[in-house]
Amino acid sequence: MSNPSTAEKAISYIFLILVGVLLASPFLYMISIALASDATTIKLAFTFVPREFEWSNFYTIFTNNNLGTYLENSVMITMFTIIGSVLSASVVSYGFARIQAKGSRFLFIVLLSTMMIPGEVTMVPQFIIFRHLDWINTFYPLIVPSFFAGAFNVFLIRQFVMSIPRSLDEAAMIDGMGHPGIYWKIIMPLTYPILAAIAIFSFSWNWGNFMGPLIYINDPEKMPLALGVQLLTTVSGGQLPPWNLVMIASLFLTIPMVLVYLLGQRYVYEANISGGSSGIK
Amino acid sequence: MKQKDGKWFYIFISPWLIGFVGLTLGPILFSIYMSFTNWDLFQSPSFIGLDNYKTLLTDDPLFWKSVGNTFFYALISIPLGMAISLCIAYYLNKKIKGITFFRILFYLPSVVPVVASSLLFVHLLAPSKGLINKALALLGIQGPAWLLDPNWVKPALILMSLWGVGGGVVLLLAGMKGIPQELYEAAAIDGAQSTQSFFHITFPMLTPVIFFNLVTGIIGALQTFAQVFIVTSGGPDNASQMVVPYLFQNAFQFYKMGYASAIAWVLFIMIMVLTLLIFRSSALWVHYEEGKTNE
């Protein structure tokens, strides 16, 4: 776009600042509530600009509530799901991109069509299967499925692998390398950018995932933060939830997402371009 | 040329294949069977044929209400969100100082986990003490009781969804950057105003991205769950009950596994039909550059 005129610039700034204030204010309100004293919380007299700076809330939530445990659980679950989804999708996409076999086209179409099935269809039977395996109240139902290659991830990596010249594989093959070697030494290292994007997607999906833990975890000691923070709000006996602590927990839920986005936006951006907008043509 | 090597192919894709059989195909077949049964998890399932579907479609007003609410939510939040994100993307595409800051700021709300934003919006939407009504009061407007008012609870959820428009904006922005500059220059020489070039160049060139946002937006909206579960529990008076929370309730609170499976299949059909309709309609309005092929 050509350089905008002064009037255009002014209009743009007014618009951007106005919308920016609207979009940023919920964040500030979250921080303000997180810093409110118990007295303010009981009266629900929160203000936009922090009235108090009750830093001890941060101490309270770690000592009186399970925040440390929730965080630990979230980290464990997220770490293993990232490993699982990246590794499995990477291996599988090599198979679909580089090896020809009877039924490979058909299976790829099957894989693509599974993307259209909403998770709700398999949710109830999966619950019954995992219950049968005695996996309720464990991390297994949340972690194990990620080791079976998500269709969307396979599709993204495969698109990427297709753009790598085949002459690389052929040269390696002449040198006597087999598929495992070609995959591990040549193709996989070249797909790091897209694997990073998938790690970020997997992180953001699992870190904030609410429904999965809600279905499978009942024991507060095993809950990830997304479920634990909601548990904080369910108080019995007509009492008000400790909203200041709830907002601190919400901040802990939010900040890692923001950091991962800021550090990894380049990868997400590239994956969006290749897999999102143009990939559907 | 691809190497022909059946054994290796199946070894490489085995993680997916095992998962597909065990976690997708198996559960799908199981779910179909369950939808024809009456099953509370504790006694053995009894086969009741199409009864679940019959009840669901003809004798369950709450299901229809949740379908209606879900569609209301989708039909308003998606077009509104797209119009706003198009507008935002237009301004974020300007070459002005500090634009990177605004791009980051506008995107951030969309990375906030829905649990956190839901808990936050409980306060933002509070009747008299909430930030939104306080801001409206400054303008002399008496805000509604949002989450407590059956007429305003759905608009409240829609408002909440608009906070996260930044996700779609990123794709639109990327699309805008991909539009060849010559098109604008040629249009300017022909005397086109900036609004004209927006509607004749920018918008048509963005239709593939808008199409993508539309499809993913509809699929996402029809699957709305955590917001409803956390913010409203479907209330007041079921005015914000939606399909997936209703499914969840039937499965994991009432243990009606068969009935819940039937709901899941009806949901699947709704998503399928809508997606197909949009794909069909795309020939009419989605503009693809000629000669550009994928792969």
Side-chain angles (χ1 to χ4, degrees), chain A residues 1 13 23 100 120 126, chain B residues 3 23 97 163 181 223:
Chain A
M1 201 149 273
Y13 276 121
L23 291 180
Q100 199 149 55
E120 285 78 12
Q126 279 187 9
Chain B
Q3 278 77 33
L23 292 173
K97 246 186 214 147
W163 194 43
Q181 205 53 60
Q223 292 177 284

Side-chain angles (χ1 to χ4, degrees), chain B residues 174-222:
Chain B
M176 283 180 178
K177 292 194 177 303
I179 301 173
Q181 205 53 60
E182 302 89 72
L183 288 179
Y184 292 107
E185 280 155 16
I189 291 165
D190 290 345
Q193 304 293 311
S194 64
T195 37
Q196 277 174 319
S197 56
F198 179 82
F199 285 106
H200 290 105
I201 301 171
T202 315
F203 189 80
M205 296 291 279
L206 283 177
T207 47
V209 185
I210 292 171
F211 173 69
F212 179 78
N213 283 351
L214 183 66
V215 173
T216 53
I218 285 179
I219 294 174
L222 294 187

Side-chain angles (χ1 to χ4, degrees), chain A residues 77-97:
Chain A
I77 294 167
T78 315
M79 205 172 66
F80 281 107
T81 47
I82 290 174
I83 295 171
S85 37
V86 170
L87 260 185
S88 59
S90 167
V91 171
V92 171
S93 61
Y94 175 84
F96 279 116

Side-chain angles (χ1 to χ4, degrees), chain B residues 51-158:
Chain B
D51 277 8
N52 282 330
Y53 292 96
K54 222 187 273 170
T55 313
L56 198 59
L57 300 176
T58 61
D59 200 21
D60 186 350
L62 192 50
F63 172 70
W64 285 110
K65 189 159 191 177
S66 64
V67 170
N69 289 337
T70 311
F71 276 88
F72 180 92
Y73 175 76
L75 276 176
I76 300 197
S77 71
I78 296 168
L80 201 60
M82 290 209 297
I84 292 173
S85 45
L86 202 56
C87 190
I88 291 176
Y90 175 80
Y91 282 105
L92 284 181
N93 194 31
K94 300 258 184 222
K95 266 189 190 162
I96 52 177
K97 246 186 214 147
I99 201 71
T100 317
F101 166 77
F102 285 109
R103 281 180 193 159
I104 292 172
L105 176 68
F106 285 28
Y107 185 71
L108 283 187
S110 64
V111 307
V112 175
V114 63
V115 176
S117 60
S118 298
L119 292 167
L120 178 60
F121 270 77
V122 168
H123 295 285
L124 288 162
L125 293 161
S128 64
K129 293 167 172 174
L131 192 59
I132 291 173
N133 279 1
K134 275 185 190 169
L136 289 175
L138 286 181
L139 302 172
I141 301 167
Q142 159 94 46
W146 298 109
L147 304 171
L148 305 174
D149 185 336
N151 294 319
W152 283 98
V153 66
K154 285 187 287 283
L157 290 172
I158 291 165

